[in-house]
Amino acid sequence: MSTDLELRPGSSLSLGERAELFTAAYEGYLMPFQIDETALGWMQEKFDFDLDASRIAYREGEPVGLANLAIREGDAWVGGIGVITAARRAGVGEALMRAVQEEARSRGVERVWLEVIVENSGAFALYEKLGYEVVQEVEVWTLPAADGAGAWREVPVPEAKTQLPERHEPWQRADGTLAHYEDVRGLVTDSGAMLFCVRSSAQLQQYAGEPQPLIRALRSFGDVYILNLPADDPAAEVLRELGGSVTVRQHEMLLELQH
């Protein structure tokens, strides 16, 4: 790593500047994307980004990379890490990861989570080098809208939630994230319950019970989108049978911090 690299808190840049850097840092990656100030602000609020614990990498005074760290009590999540094209393959990504891990440790965090696209072998090798282990394989699913046959009804979120067991959910669908959403809805069938949101798509957040009646109900609200569904979840086979598609496959990884 170059000795002229400087790491500063995420708050060292404005929201708009961080959005520009975030976009530039993903240029040419497996899934490049454009993120604007509004979208990044939404992510920061809903996912609990800690700007003081997040890090921006600077070289010769110019920002060249970033790592977003979200924190909820004993857990943290790396919500995006990237380096601009001109500064890649120089140890910047590893420096950023080590820095946010130390920030997490200093705040009493016990577990750091992240996801990495299966095909991103370089990042995966770095995370393994840093001590992360694969917890599960997760997939992003889409399914076209259709009439929702079957018996189901919408219910208040707390009523649906009582039917959902306590279990680990990926950060973007975890209870801490859903607590920030104002548009979560509840639905029950004779054999299950789910929490979902209807935005540009009908998004499954959490569920329990028999998945087929729930997914059939969900697609009546629009095209279905499910983020980071475990690959071995029974709902995956239902989605496949109904004509759904996997758009992204990821490893969910975990680092248990030593204190």
Side-chain angles (χ1 to χ4, degrees):
M1 184 183 71
S2 175
T3 57
D4 65 355
L5 192 69
E6 182 183 1
L7 302 178
R8 304 177 194 168
S11 54
S12 63
L13 291 181
S14 69
L15 179 61
E17 290 169 333
R18 275 182 282 114
E20 290 181 10
L21 179 60
F22 206 162
T23 298
Y26 274 74
E27 181 181 353
Y29 275 4
L30 288 163
M31 289 192 65
F33 64 90
Q34 298 279 334
I35 188 165
D36 60 20
E37 190 171 334
T38 300
L40 182 55
W42 184 91
M43 289 177 63
Q44 287 181 180
E45 177 190 354
K46 307 307 183 188
F47 298 150
D48 291 311
F49 284 3
D50 186 324
L51 294 183
D52 290 331
S54 300
R55 281 295 177 267
I56 307 291
Y58 291 81
R59 176 164 288 157
E60 297 179 357
E62 294 298 321
V64 296
L66 84 168
N68 301 311
L69 189 72
I71 297 177
R72 293 175 183 152
E73 298 181 352
D75 290 279
W77 174 64
V78 180
I81 173 172
V83 179
I84 67 171
T85 305
R88 291 174 188 166
R89 304 193 182 283
V92 178
E94 180 173 346
L96 283 165
M97 284 297 299
R98 292 188 182 278
V100 294
Q101 287 168 194
E102 188 53 42
E103 291 297 322
R105 182 181 288 107
S106 71
R107 288 163 170 77
V109 167
E110 298 175 354
R111 295 165 296 275
V112 182
W113 302 84
L114 57 80
E115 301 93 32
V116 57
I117 295 173
V118 168
E119 294 83 359
N120 194 348
S121 56
F124 181 73
L126 170 60
Y127 301 147
E128 283 198 314
K129 173 183 176 181
L130 294 172
Y132 288 81
E133 296 183 353
V134 174
V135 174
Q136 61 181 348
E137 306 298 324
V138 294
E139 300 169 331
V140 179
W141 280 89
T142 60
L143 176 70
D147 291 337
W152 55 268
R153 61 189 175 92
E154 283 200 64
V155 298
V157 168
E159 181 178 337
K161 184 66 176 172
T162 60
Q163 300 187 41
L164 304 182
E166 289 288 335
R167 66 182 181 189
H168 167 72
E169 300 280 3
W171 195 273
Q172 304 95 323
R173 298 189 291 102
D175 288 347
T177 297
L178 301 192
H180 292 309
Y181 290 165
E182 298 176 354
D183 59 345
V184 179
R185 297 158 70 168
L187 184 149
V188 297
T189 65
D190 292 338
S191 57
M194 71 175 172
L195 302 179
F196 69 105
C197 299
V198 179
R199 298 167 183 165
S200 58
S201 56
Q203 301 176 12
L204 176 65
Q205 301 294 347
Q206 298 179 10
Y207 89 95
E210 172 56 46
Q212 187 177 79
L214 293 167
I215 292 172
R216 288 188 178 276
L218 183 63
R219 68 192 308 204
S220 70
F221 292 92
D223 293 338
V224 171
Y225 176 80
I226 305 177
L227 179 63
N228 290 345
L229 182 74
D232 60 356
D233 192 289
E237 185 58 35
V238 172
L239 288 160
R240 192 171 289 110
E241 292 172 355
L242 293 174
S245 301
V246 175
T247 59
V248 181
R249 290 183 169 88
Q250 300 193 100
H251 306 293
E252 184 182 35
M253 305 185 76
L254 170 64
L255 174 68
E256 299 204 33
L257 295 176
Q258 303 299 317
H259 289 272

